[in-house]
Each structure stands twice: as structure tokens, then as C-alpha cells.
Amino acid sequence: MNGQFNATYDKQMNSLLEGNLVIYLLDNPIRNFVIKPVPTMIKRAIDVPQNENVVESSYGAFNEDLDTNMALIRNELRSPTLTMNTLLMGTKQPKLTTLAYLSDSVNHRLLSSLMKKLEANKAKEFNHLQEIIKVLGEGNFSLISPCLTSERPAEAADHLKNGRVILFIEGLPFAFILPVIITDLWCVKSDRNFPKATMITLRMLRIIGLFIALVLPAIYVSLVSVNPEVLRIQLALSVAQSREGVPYPAFLEVIFMLIILEMLIEASVRLPKSIGPSITTVGGIILGQAVVSAKLVSNLFIIVLAASALANFTLNGVQNGLFIRLSKYVLIVFSAIFGVLGTIGGLIWLSIYMASISTFGVAYINVNVKEGPQDG
């Protein structure tokens, strides 16, 4: 028989955590059978993450099958406190939805709020992020996404240990991590597989990348078009020489090239993987050389543009990268009007905006989800 007869209590508990079946006899509960169930076919084989590069961590990735995703989380966290609540959401296109959390470390106010909202909206469709945000009562027009997405079970398991809640939706090959906080911009849980000094260095590098991606184009606009007197005379002359013959003001130059860069990034996502990197790389080089030769932009701004684009991709998560990509346009507008003071004012506005954001009752600038919002 594929199992064990009259197993001990510890063996029964370990078998349950491993996904096996334990059967008790009603007339004699001491007698039991531990059965290893016949494995079922899954929709897609477990593969490596497609959108998240793995460094010093496990290579498994979530897929569209909900049972497989829950099994991957269970494999990472063999804990009796790991709890999974499954609901059937929607009426026209019903889909299974699972909330996973650790009962001994979860933020209970957060969990209670999520469960109430899900129970109250069980009839609503639940297929993508915008519908999730609407059902859970968060603002659709916030620059900051209320949840972080991840394809990696190891990453999701680490978030569970820190008091987060994981939302799985049948048919979506990633986990929604609730709520999002500011440290998600630069903290990757797999960093802990490096020595502590290396981990701190990597996170400091991402923080520097955050400021470069956000501020560098705005600083260029403010120093070139509004406050050139801030620069040393040699640097000011060098900047003026690089812009010689450029017919447009710095603001239009920056906006024009940033939009072109955004289109290159979008094209690299949509093109087939076999030709996408080659076409966007060659296209970017040819386009950059052409606009400089045509005196449409300056040589200096090409350096600023490349540095800003590279710095943006040092951040953790697609949603966080999009937040910074959108926010830098606000700073550019402030800088074009008020110069350096506008850049500083834009940073102050962004800081106030982030401080005002609260996702599912947890402040965005909170660094510990286990604590309540009043302790942030």
C-alpha cells in the first residue's frame, strides 16, 4: 500500500505539511492511515521566472495552476501556521482566489480588512490588477500600486514571514503581495543570501539608482534652462557648447527623448525575445547618433538619458519602476518652471504624497508590516 498504518502524531503532522492525506477511523481514532495521494496533472510545468532574474536563490516560478502555486509556497514554508483561505470570486467567470498568510506573524488588522472586502464582493469579477484594486477598495488613480507582484515562491515566502498577505488568483502566474511599502523599492529578499556587507552595498546602490532615475533629468533641465549660474564657469561653457545649434529649449529636448526612450522600452517588451534586444539596441544607438548629428539634442543629454534609464532598472519590481518613471515627469515640469527650487519642491511634494499613501490600512512609508499603522 502507498502509505503508512497507525503513524505517530509527529508523523501525521509532517505528512499533512507535505501534502499527504491522513484518514482516521471513527470507531477508533487512534488507528489512522497516512496515504500519499496519486499526483495530478498540472497545466504547465514549473519553469524559471520570466520577468525576474534570479541571483543566489531558488529557480522555481509560479504558474497558472492555483494548486501548484499553493504547493510551491508550502514547499518553501513547511509551517503549521501557514494558512490558506480559498474563495470563489465572480459569477459570470468564477475563479478561485486564495489568501495565504502566517497566522502567528500576519498583521491581523490587515487580514481582517482583506477578508471582509473579499467576502462582501464575492459576486464581482476578479481577473486583473485594476479589478483587484477596485474590489479591495483602493484608489485606481494612485501612482503607487497597492500591491507588489512576484513570480518567485522564495520571495513570496519571505514576505509572508514579515507579516504580509499573499493573494493568488487562478490563471495568473504570479502572486500579489499585500501591502506594498517603501522599502520594496530597493529591498530584494534574496539579498540575504549574500554577506551582510554585500547586501547593504547592493541596497545602497539601488537607492542611489532611485535618486538618479528620479532627479537627473530634472536637474539637467533646471541647470541648463533656468539656473545655469549654479554651475562653475568651465562646466557652464562646456554645457553651452554641447547645446550649440540645438533649436529647442531643454524642456522640449528632455520630453522628446524620454518619450522616445519609453517607446523603445515598450517595444523591447512586445517584440519576440529572439529579435527584441537586438532591434532595440541597434535602434537606440542609431537613433541616438542621428538626433545628435541632426542637432536636435545635445551630447550631454544623451549621457543623462542613458544614466537615468539604467538607474531606473536597478529598482525592485515592475510596478515600482513604473512609479518612478511616471514621477520624474512631474519633477521635470517643476524644474522647467522654477529651476533648482522647482526640483527641490518636486521632491518635497513627492515625499508628502508618499507619506499620505496608506494601502489596506498600512502606511506606505512604514518599514514593518507587522506593526499597525499607528506605530509606523
Side-chain angles (χ1 to χ4, degrees):
M1 184 178 65
N2 188 22
Q4 185 176 350
F5 181 69
N6 286 349
T8 62
Y9 174 81
D10 291 338
K11 179 62 178 178
Q12 297 172 39
M13 181 60 68
N14 290 333
S15 298
L16 287 173
L17 295 177
E18 290 172 2
N20 297 330
L21 175 67
V22 179
I23 299 177
Y24 295 94
L25 300 181
L26 293 178
D27 58 346
N28 189 357
I30 299 178
R31 301 181 64 190
N32 60 77
F33 298 92
V34 177
I35 299 176
K36 295 181 180 180
V38 177
T40 57
M41 297 298 294
I42 58 176
K43 296 181 180 179
R44 180 165 64 93
I46 298 172
D47 201 357
V48 297
Q50 300 298 313
N51 299 310
E52 297 179 60
N53 289 330
V54 179
V55 180
E56 297 289 341
S57 183
S58 58
Y59 281 82
F62 295 122
N63 60 34
E64 292 80 7
D65 184 50
L66 187 61
D67 291 334
T68 302
N69 293 340
M70 292 191 291
L72 289 170
I73 284 291
R74 177 67 70 184
N75 187 55
E76 293 287 340
L77 282 175
R78 295 187 179 183
S79 169
T81 62
L82 177 59
T83 306
M84 296 185 181
N85 292 337
T86 301
L87 302 172
L88 187 64
M89 303 293 295
T91 53
K92 295 181 180 179
Q93 297 177 349
K95 287 192 174 183
L96 291 173
T97 302
T98 297
L99 273 182
Y101 56 91
L102 290 175
S103 58
D104 60 342
S105 60
V106 69
N107 185 321
H108 292 283
R109 182 178 298 181
L110 164 67
L111 177 63
S112 175
S113 173
L114 290 174
M115 290 300 299
K116 288 179 181 178
K117 291 174 180 177
L118 289 176
E119 289 286 351
N121 294 278
K122 289 180 67 174
K124 294 184 178 180
E125 302 302 323
F126 212 63
N127 298 312
H128 49 71
L129 181 59
Q130 291 184 14
E131 291 179 349
I132 294 172
I133 294 173
K134 185 177 180 180
V135 167
L136 297 180
E138 295 296 318
N140 269 319
F141 292 97
S142 174
L143 290 177
I144 300 172
S145 174
C147 57
L148 188 70
T149 59
S150 179
E151 297 177 275
R152 298 168 49 208
E155 190 81 6
D158 281 328
H159 285 296
L160 287 175
K161 296 175 186 175
N162 292 328
R164 309 276 190 108
V165 176
I166 305 297
L167 180 66
F168 292 106
I169 299 177
E170 186 180 16
L172 295 182
F174 46 83
F176 294 96
I177 301 165
L178 311 172
V180 65
I181 56 177
I182 192 169
T183 54
D184 292 331
L185 285 167
W186 57 79
C187 289
V188 180
K189 302 305 177 183
S190 60
D191 290 343
R192 296 184 180 275
N193 291 324
F194 296 101
K196 191 169 186 178
T198 305
M199 179 191 75
I200 294 173
T201 302
L202 290 173
R203 292 183 176 180
M204 288 299 298
L205 187 63
R206 295 190 192 109
I207 293 173
I208 294 171
L210 165 65
F211 281 100
I212 290 176
L214 189 62
V215 174
L216 194 58
I219 288 290
Y220 174 83
V221 171
S222 61
L223 294 181
V224 168
S225 61
V226 183
N227 299 115
E229 69 277 2
V230 175
L231 300 172
R232 294 183 59 183
I233 185 64
Q234 296 89 346
L235 183 57
L237 291 173
S238 177
V239 172
Q241 185 178 4
S242 71
R243 285 187 49 79
E244 184 179 358
V246 177
Y248 305 108
F251 174 73
L252 293 180
E253 173 190 10
V254 170
I255 293 297
F256 170 71
M257 288 305 297
L258 283 177
I259 291 175
I260 294 296
L261 177 64
E262 298 291 350
M263 288 192 292
L264 279 173
I265 294 173
E266 189 66 16
S268 67
V269 174
R270 304 301 169 192
L271 285 170
K273 292 184 178 181
S274 57
I275 62 173
S278 300
I279 290 180
T280 51
T281 301
V282 174
I285 294 172
I286 294 174
L287 183 62
Q289 183 64 37
V291 294
V292 171
S293 300
K295 296 295 183 181
L296 296 178
V297 299
S298 65
N299 289 314
L300 178 60
F301 180 66
I302 295 298
I303 299 173
V304 171
L305 184 70
S308 176
L310 289 174
N312 197 95
F313 291 109
T314 62
L315 303 178
N316 173 40
V318 176
Q319 301 287 351
N320 289 327
L322 290 173
F323 161 55
I324 297 302
R325 282 163 62 183
L326 291 174
S327 299
K328 68 184 176 185
Y329 290 99
V330 178
L331 267 67
I332 290 171
V333 172
F334 277 110
S335 300
I337 300 172
F338 302 108
V340 175
L341 290 179
T343 305
I344 297 173
L347 288 173
I348 294 173
W349 167 83
L350 186 60
S351 300
I352 295 173
Y353 176 75
M354 290 191 296
S356 68
I357 294 295
S358 177
T359 54
F360 308 110
V362 178
Y364 179 68
I365 59 172
N366 201 335
V367 296
N368 189 355
V369 178
K370 293 182 182 180
E371 298 174 351
Q374 73 278 5
D375 301 322

